Amino acid sequence: MQQEIVLAMLAKEPSYGYQLRARLRDALGPLGDALNAGQIYVTLTRLEKAGLLAVERSADGGDRSDRKVYVLTPDGQQRVAEWIAEVNWPKPDLAEFHLKLIAASSAGLADPVTIVDIQRRELLRRLRDAQRAAMAEPRHSNAALLLEGVVLRLQADLRWLEACEKNWTHRRSGS
Amino acid sequence: MQQEIVLAMLAKEPSYGYQLRARLRDALGPLGDALNAGQIYVTLTRLEKAGLLAVERSADGGDRSDRKVYVLTPDGQQRVAEWIAEVNWPKPDLAEFHLKLIAASSAGLADPVTIVDIQRRELLRRLRDAQRAAMAEPRHSNAALLLEGVVLRLQADLRWLEACEKNWTHRRSGS
DNA sequence: AGCCCCATGTCTAACGGTTAGCCCCGTCGC
DNA sequence: GCGACGGGGCTAACCGTTAGACATGGGGCT
């Protein structure tokens, strides 16, 4: 997944690691800060080993730092084209929380409704943060669009938490 | 993440691998079919190596199959308690799609609006599937609740796709 | 001059999730 | 006898992720 992202970024223009990282951060806006620097290099070397990338030592100008500039091989270009055409929407990963409620309840470790409440507080906090961050971005920018998606997701998750609370209070009184 | 889930399941009652898998499938309903059987054993052995689980050879009854029944160690119990108390909501992973649009557009590989359209069709399909699956589950069951979360998420994602489409058509005409 | 912090830039070890696929064994049907 | 199938268990290998190590060079402070 991240491999394809790196490939796609290099499809626009060859870059060396740090440059690539900067371009990614730029495209993601404030959410780009979560990226781990090391990840880029791990991915680049693995892609090179797989033959999807090639290295072009930068011997240009007076640049004495031996940066490795990566470019796509034909295989890499094909891979990018395939990725663009693919549908790969992430499956919702609600299972973890759901199983936490079940486990807490059935093993008598904690009150599910309390857990739901804690999570709701956290999501509300994140929602405020995301809305504030979205406000700070220029209208119609990449980052603003991405943040809008985050906000919509959080709102949906909060609505699900409401449903969880209703369900588990109902069970508590029901059984 | 999955480690904690396995631990929490074993907090309710000790089990051997296949049993655990069955209990997980049961708790997740139709979504449990996506689980990979091998994963459970990988996780169990890693947890045992970490000292969070211990093995109890089942010498019970006439059961000649040498199943390994796993039970929590005190460390394991503490780990479960910590996990229950933690807030660990998954971060929305919209970045991949977002970067796909950017890459496709900036490298001139495909039309972003077309990509959005393809994804929307897929999400609508999944939404229908999830709603149908939810209808097939008993009211107030675990599986029904989980599926409701999936539906809410998909609806939010579809709304985000609308926003993406507006944004990118706007850019196309704007630049 | 000496010093320290910070940004740039790269890399590695190690862990954890995921997958595909192999293995044994018993049972049921043909 | 034989094959299919399901229960039950396991492994190799890949990939994502993280916390750090390492090197360099410039700017500011004393």
Side-chain angles (χ1 to χ4, degrees):
Chain A
M1 319 308 157
Q2 304 315 90
Q3 294 198 142
E4 283 87 349
I5 290 174
V6 167
L7 282 178
M9 285 278 128
L10 288 177
K12 193 194 173 193
E13 48 177 348
S15 304
Y16 55 94
Y18 199 83
Q19 218 176 16
L20 197 55
R21 184 189 165 208
R23 288 171 53 202
L24 273 172
R25 287 175 62 112
D26 194 64
L28 292 176
L31 276 65
D33 298 350
L35 268 71
N36 184 309
Q39 175 90 25
I40 276 89
Y41 301 98
V42 177
T43 308
L44 284 174
T45 53
R46 301 222 258 236
L47 285 172
E48 186 192 354
K49 192 160 46 181
L52 301 176
L53 290 182
V55 197
E56 253 185 16
R57 281 269 162 201
S58 86
D60 56 2
D63 220 341
R64 93 268 279 113
S65 64
D66 46 346
R67 296 167 179 149
K68 284 196 269 184
V69 175
Y70 290 90
V71 292
L72 268 70
T73 63
D75 278 7
Q77 288 173 19
Q78 194 191 334
R79 191 83 177 74
V80 172
E82 287 168 11
W83 179 66
I84 297 272
E86 270 169 24
V87 171
N88 39 11
W89 202 269
K91 298 199 194 311
D93 38 349
L94 304 165
E96 182 177 359
F97 180 70
H98 187 246
L99 289 170
K100 185 190 274 199
L101 291 184
I102 292 175
S105 161
S106 69
L109 289 167
D111 177 23
V113 180
T114 307
I115 296 177
V116 169
D117 219 59
I118 294 173
Q119 300 280 334
R120 176 169 36 221
R121 259 190 276 279
E122 170 68 11
L123 289 202
L124 282 171
R125 209 181 55 70
R126 290 193 197 175
L127 180 59
R128 266 187 291 114
D129 289 354
Q131 283 171 332
R132 198 152 9 92
M135 221 76 85
E137 295 296 319
R139 252 53 57 201
H140 302 296
S141 69
N142 285 335
L145 183 57
L146 185 51
L147 282 167
E148 185 174 345
V150 172
V151 166
L152 286 169
R153 271 255 177 117
L154 285 171
Q155 288 170 342
D157 288 351
L158 279 165
R159 251 176 285 136
W160 184 55
L161 279 184
E162 293 300 321
C164 286
E165 179 160 17
K166 277 204 195 67
N167 191 300
W168 285 94
T169 53
H170 179 262
R171 288 189 207 194
R172 193 164 43 177
S173 63
S175 73
Chain B
M1 317 308 157
Q2 306 315 91
Q3 295 198 140
E4 282 88 348
I5 290 175
V6 167
L7 282 178
M9 285 279 127
L10 289 177
K12 193 194 173 193
E13 50 178 347
S15 304
Y16 55 93
Y18 199 84
Q19 219 175 15
L20 197 55
R21 184 189 166 209
R23 288 171 53 204
L24 273 172
R25 286 174 63 111
D26 194 63
L28 292 176
L31 277 64
D33 299 348
L35 267 70
N36 184 308
Q39 176 90 26
I40 274 90
Y41 302 99
V42 177
T43 307
L44 284 173
T45 54
R46 301 222 259 236
L47 284 171
E48 187 192 353
K49 191 160 46 180
L52 301 176
L53 290 183
V55 196
E56 252 185 18
R57 282 268 160 202
S58 86
D60 57 359
D63 219 341
R64 92 260 290 111
S65 63
D66 45 347
R67 296 169 179 149
K68 284 195 269 184
V69 175
Y70 289 91
V71 292
L72 269 69
T73 62
D75 278 7
Q77 287 173 19
Q78 194 190 336
R79 191 83 176 74
V80 172
E82 287 168 10
W83 179 66
I84 298 271
E86 271 170 22
V87 171
N88 40 11
W89 202 269
K91 298 199 193 311
D93 39 350
L94 305 164
E96 182 176 359
F97 181 70
H98 187 246
L99 289 170
K100 185 191 273 199
L101 291 183
I102 292 177
S105 160
S106 69
L109 290 167
D111 178 23
V113 180
T114 307
I115 297 177
V116 170
D117 219 60
I118 295 173
Q119 300 280 334
R120 176 171 35 222
R121 258 191 276 278
E122 170 67 12
L123 289 202
L124 282 171
R125 208 181 55 71
R126 291 194 197 175
L127 180 58
R128 264 186 293 115
D129 289 355
Q131 282 171 331
R132 198 149 11 91
M135 221 77 85
E137 296 297 320
R139 250 55 55 201
H140 302 295
S141 69
N142 285 336
L145 183 57
L146 184 50
L147 283 167
E148 185 175 345
V150 173
V151 166
L152 286 169
R153 270 256 176 117
L154 285 171
Q155 288 169 342
D157 288 352
L158 280 166
R159 252 177 283 136
W160 185 54
L161 279 184
E162 294 299 322
C164 285
E165 178 159 18
K166 278 203 195 66
N167 191 300
W168 285 94
T169 53
H170 179 261
R171 288 190 207 193
R172 194 164 44 177
S173 62
S175 71

